[in-house]
Amino acid sequence: MRLLSIGAFARRASVSVKTLRFYDREGVLRPARVDARSGYRYYSSAQLAGLAELRELRALGCSVADLRIWAGLPEASPERAALLLCLHERLCGQVAADLVRLRRVQLWAHRLAPGGLAMPRERCLPAVAALTIRDRVRSIAPAVYKMFEATECRVARLQARAPKSPFLLIHDGDFRGRNADVEVCVPVDPSAVTALSARLVEGAPRAACLAFSGSYERGLTAYLAIRGWMSLQGARAAGPVRETYVRFGADQRGYALPKRMLTDRVEDYRTVLQVPVARSS
C-alpha cells in the first residue's frame, strides 16, 4: 500500500494540513500510519474518497460529532442512513425558520420602501419584436422623447405598430439620467421586422418588476427599491434595465396610438421598471 505524506495527501485532497490534523485530533479521519519516532502522519490514497465524503457532509451541515459517528460506521449501514435522515429533518427545520425570517424582513422592507412604493414582484418578460434606436445621450430628457417620436413615425409609415407599450432599455448596468447608453423600443408586427430592419428584443425568464405612477423622475426611487429587493433575494441583475411606458404623453404628429396608452396629466403616467435577475453565484 503506497502511503502519502500529510502534505502530499493534503494537496491531492485540496485541503489544508491544518484540517487533516484537526480531523485526526477529533477522531474523524485517522492517518493510515504514524511514524513512531518522528510522529509524521501518512495517509493512503484510498482515504481520499472517504475524506471527500466527510467534506460533503460537513458542507451539508453535519457537526464534527456527526462526522465522527459517520466515520465509525460501516459503509452502506442502516445507521448511516439514519444519520442522513436526521440531517434531512434538521435542514427542513432550518429552511422553515429561514422562510419565517425572510418574510419578516420582506414585510419590514415593505414598510420602509422609498416613496410609498409597493414591493417589487418577480415576472417573466416576453421577447418583443421592436424597431429600436440605440445611442449614448447626454441627458435622457429630452433626447429619449425625440428618439421615441422619430421611431413611432417611422413605424407608422409602414402601418406596422403593434398594440403594445413602448419601452426603454438602459444598457449601463444601472439606472442613470445622464450620459446613458439607451435604446428606445417601439413594438412592431413581427411580419414587419425585416422591412423595418427591426429586431427581436430578448425577454427574461425572471425579472424584478415595480410599477409607479407620476413623473419619470420616480424611476430612480423604483430602481433603488428593486436593488434592495435583489439584495434580500440573493439576486443580481442579468440584463439591461427596462422602463416600460403603460400610460404616457405623446405628440402623435405623424402617428396615432391607442387611447388607453395616452394621458395629458403627468400624475396619471403609469410606468413599470423591470430588471432581469438571476441568482447570485
Side-chain angles (χ1 to χ4, degrees), residues 43-93:
Y43 295 81
S44 71
S45 56
Q47 290 179 284
L48 288 168
L51 177 57
E53 198 172 67
L54 292 168
R55 293 180 68 198
E56 177 68 11
L57 288 169
R58 186 65 167 158
L60 291 172
C62 278
S63 65
V64 173
D66 292 331
L67 299 184
R68 188 182 303 113
I69 293 171
W70 179 274
L73 294 170
E75 293 185 13
S77 66
E79 291 84 358
R80 280 191 169 184
L83 191 150
L84 290 175
L85 288 174
C86 288
L87 175 61
H88 178 270
E89 292 300 316
R90 188 162 71 242
L91 290 175
C92 285

Side-chain angles (χ1 to χ4, degrees), residues 6 12 48 58 105 127 130 136 187 247 256 272:
I6 189 171
R12 289 276 298 273
L48 288 168
R58 186 65 167 158
V105 170
R136 182 168 291 280
R247 294 194 75 198
V272 182

Side-chain angles (χ1 to χ4, degrees), residues 148 152 161 164-168 185-187 243-246 248 257 261:
F148 268 118
E152 290 283 6
R161 184 66 160 84
K164 298 178 180 178
S165 295
F167 56 95
L168 179 72
C185 304
V186 172
E243 193 172 59
T244 299
Y245 307 107
V246 180
F248 51 91
L257 295 174
M261 292 185 181

Side-chain angles (χ1 to χ4, degrees), residues 120 173-175 208 221-232 235 237 275:
D174 59 3
F175 189 89
T221 301
Y223 178 71
L224 294 175
I226 288 176
R227 286 283 300 269
W229 178 90
M230 288 166 56
S231 178
L232 289 175
V275 180

Side-chain angles (χ1 to χ4, degrees), residues 193-236:
V193 167
T194 301
L196 281 166
S197 298
R199 74 180 185 91
L200 187 67
V201 179
E202 291 184 0
R206 299 177 56 226
C209 305
L210 185 57
F212 62 93
S213 299
S215 170
Y216 298 134
E217 292 179 358
R218 300 193 71 202
L220 178 57
T221 301
Y223 178 71
L224 294 175
I226 288 176
R227 286 283 300 269
W229 178 90
M230 288 166 56
S231 178
L232 289 175
Q233 298 293 324
R236 58 176 175 82

Side-chain angles (χ1 to χ4, degrees), residues 97-115:
D98 285 343
L99 287 174
V100 171
R101 285 193 288 268
L102 177 61
R103 181 58 181 161
R104 288 170 60 188
V105 170
Q106 288 175 327
L107 290 173
W108 194 350
H110 177 71
R111 292 196 300 269
L112 298 178

